[in-house]
Amino acid sequence: MSAETMNKVELKALISATADTIAAHADELTTLDQAIGDGDHGLNMKRGFEAVRADADSFAAKPLPDALKAIGTKLVMTVGGASGPLFGTLFMALGKEISTEPDRADLATAFGKAIEAVAARGKSQVGQKTMLDVLQPVHEALLQDRTGPEITDAADRAAEATVPMKALRGRASFLGDRSIGHMDAGARSTALLVRAVAETIEGYA
Ligand code: ADP
Ligand code: MG
């Protein structure tokens, strides 16, 4: 992602890009969650990101930190499941930590703190087959000043890397060893969001 400031137009573009990718992949997310969860992740995410899209104008009218906090609150209220409070925390914490006109380094720092907030909320850590297994490598790529396509690749590879993992958090953990061999739904949705954000900010879609 470039160091350019996220302006109001970009925030609206980001909201529609993230809602679009979640809508386009809702069935896939549902299928992934059916294998080792309860099959609601696609619908949960679609409901939440469509609710954000419906209020895009009001979010875009706010300074970036307030917009992100409001988006996080909306996601907590609308996504539901285990992932709603976690994605909500990610955006709320990002809003709390980010500056009004962040550069790339600011974004990396704020993103790191937001991931810590998610881990605290979920009592989870990297390696447990969750969204954190994508968030963490994306943070590392940001810190290393990787390009948008590199960050997107890192996110996709990280989601793939959840396949052989055994789930230790969330519903999938109830399956024990039977959770092995399937991609974590939240890792996949996180990688989709990362791609949408990176492509929108860098305009390389
Ligand atoms: P639910 O599990 O309540 O049905 P979802 O299906 O919407 O909720 O979301 C499941 C996803 O949430 C998982 O794939 C995983 O990535 C993520 N998740 C669940 N519990 C945790 C946790 N404690 N920490 C981090 N991520 C989690
Ligand atoms: Mg589920």
Side-chain angles (χ1 to χ4, degrees):
M1 277 168 256
S2 69
E4 90 194 63
T5 298
M6 284 196 252
N7 61 28
K8 290 183 174 60
V9 175
E10 280 180 320
L11 187 59
K12 279 192 79 172
L14 285 167
I15 289 171
S16 77
T18 49
D20 283 350
T21 194
I22 293 299
H25 294 88
D27 289 348
E28 180 196 338
L29 295 173
T30 290
T31 302
L32 290 174
D33 195 34
Q34 272 165 351
I36 53 173
D38 56 356
D40 61 353
H41 190 60
L43 273 183
N44 286 347
M45 293 295 280
K46 192 172 166 191
R47 187 170 55 242
F49 282 84
E50 290 305 330
V52 172
R53 192 207 296 274
D55 281 355
D57 287 333
S58 82
F59 297 131
K62 298 179 193 290
L64 184 63
D66 294 343
L68 289 169
K69 284 184 226 165
I71 288 169
T73 304
K74 179 65 82 177
L75 291 174
V76 170
M77 292 189 306
T78 54
V79 174
S83 60
L86 296 169
F87 279 115
T89 295
L90 180 70
F91 283 85
M92 288 191 291
L94 204 50
K96 206 173 130 211
E97 302 293 344
I98 212 159
S99 55
T100 309
E101 297 189 356
D103 64 17
R104 174 79 177 241
D106 297 332
L107 178 63
T109 303
F111 195 65
K113 292 193 176 147
I115 294 172
E116 283 173 22
V118 173
R121 186 77 171 76
K123 298 185 175 61
S124 43
Q125 60 189 46
V126 170
Q128 296 180 326
K129 198 177 178 107
T130 71
M131 59 177 74
L132 284 175
D133 292 308
V134 172
L135 291 171
Q136 187 59 41
V138 167
H139 180 227
E140 278 158 26
L142 276 172
L143 288 174
Q144 292 162 5
D145 215 19
R146 299 282 185 224
T147 65
E150 286 171 338
I151 292 171
T152 302
D153 281 355
D156 287 344
R157 274 187 273 111
E160 283 291 341
T162 66
V163 173
M165 289 182 186
K166 176 174 166 177
L168 298 173
R169 286 290 179 277
R171 281 176 198 280
S173 67
F174 305 158
L175 295 179
D177 285 344
R178 281 186 292 135
S179 66
I180 294 170
H182 304 273
M183 190 186 297
D184 175 62
R188 175 63 176 144
S189 58
T190 302
L192 290 169
L193 294 173
V194 168
R195 174 180 291 276
V197 169
E199 288 182 349
T200 303
I201 290 180
E202 294 214 333
Y204 66 85

Short mmCIF file of all heavy atoms in Angstrom, two decimals, residues 33 37-41 44 171, ligand 2:
data_model
loop_
_atom_site.label_atom_id
_atom_site.label_comp_id
_atom_site.label_asym_id
_atom_site.label_seq_id
_atom_site.Cartn_x
_atom_site.Cartn_y
_atom_site.Cartn_z
N ASP A 33 -16.85 -22.93 6.00
CA ASP A 33 -17.33 -23.01 7.39
C ASP A 33 -18.20 -24.25 7.61
O ASP A 33 -18.29 -24.76 8.73
CB ASP A 33 -18.09 -21.72 7.74
CG ASP A 33 -18.31 -21.55 9.24
OD1 ASP A 33 -17.42 -21.96 10.02
OD2 ASP A 33 -19.35 -21.01 9.62
N GLY A 37 -17.09 -25.97 10.66
CA GLY A 37 -17.82 -25.08 11.57
C GLY A 37 -19.31 -25.29 11.42
O GLY A 37 -19.76 -26.42 11.23
N ASP A 38 -20.08 -24.19 11.43
CA ASP A 38 -21.53 -24.33 11.35
C ASP A 38 -22.11 -23.74 10.07
O ASP A 38 -23.33 -23.63 9.93
CB ASP A 38 -22.20 -23.68 12.58
CG ASP A 38 -21.80 -22.22 12.73
OD1 ASP A 38 -20.96 -21.76 11.92
OD2 ASP A 38 -22.32 -21.56 13.64
N GLY A 39 -21.24 -23.33 9.15
CA GLY A 39 -21.70 -22.91 7.83
C GLY A 39 -22.34 -21.54 7.74
O GLY A 39 -23.07 -21.27 6.79
N ASP A 40 -22.07 -20.67 8.72
CA ASP A 40 -22.71 -19.34 8.67
C ASP A 40 -21.74 -18.22 8.31
O ASP A 40 -22.16 -17.06 8.21
CB ASP A 40 -23.39 -19.01 10.00
CG ASP A 40 -22.43 -18.97 11.17
OD1 ASP A 40 -21.24 -19.31 10.99
OD2 ASP A 40 -22.86 -18.58 12.28
N HIS A 41 -20.47 -18.54 8.09
CA HIS A 41 -19.49 -17.44 7.96
C HIS A 41 -19.75 -16.56 6.73
O HIS A 41 -19.61 -15.33 6.81
CB HIS A 41 -18.05 -18.00 7.93
CG HIS A 41 -17.02 -16.92 8.03
ND1 HIS A 41 -16.94 -16.06 9.11
CD2 HIS A 41 -16.04 -16.52 7.17
CE1 HIS A 41 -15.95 -15.20 8.91
NE2 HIS A 41 -15.39 -15.45 7.75
N ASN A 44 -22.77 -14.41 7.56
CA ASN A 44 -22.41 -13.45 8.61
C ASN A 44 -21.64 -12.27 8.02
O ASN A 44 -21.96 -11.10 8.28
CB ASN A 44 -21.50 -14.12 9.66
CG ASN A 44 -22.25 -15.08 10.57
OD1 ASN A 44 -23.48 -15.09 10.60
ND2 ASN A 44 -21.50 -15.90 11.31
N ARG A 171 -15.22 -22.71 16.77
CA ARG A 171 -15.99 -23.96 16.62
C ARG A 171 -15.16 -25.10 16.04
O ARG A 171 -15.37 -26.26 16.41
CB ARG A 171 -17.16 -23.73 15.67
CG ARG A 171 -18.32 -23.05 16.29
CD ARG A 171 -19.39 -22.78 15.24
NE ARG A 171 -20.28 -21.77 15.74
CZ ARG A 171 -21.26 -22.03 16.60
NH1 ARG A 171 -21.49 -23.26 17.01
NH2 ARG A 171 -22.02 -21.05 17.02
MG MG B 2 -19.60 -20.26 11.68
#
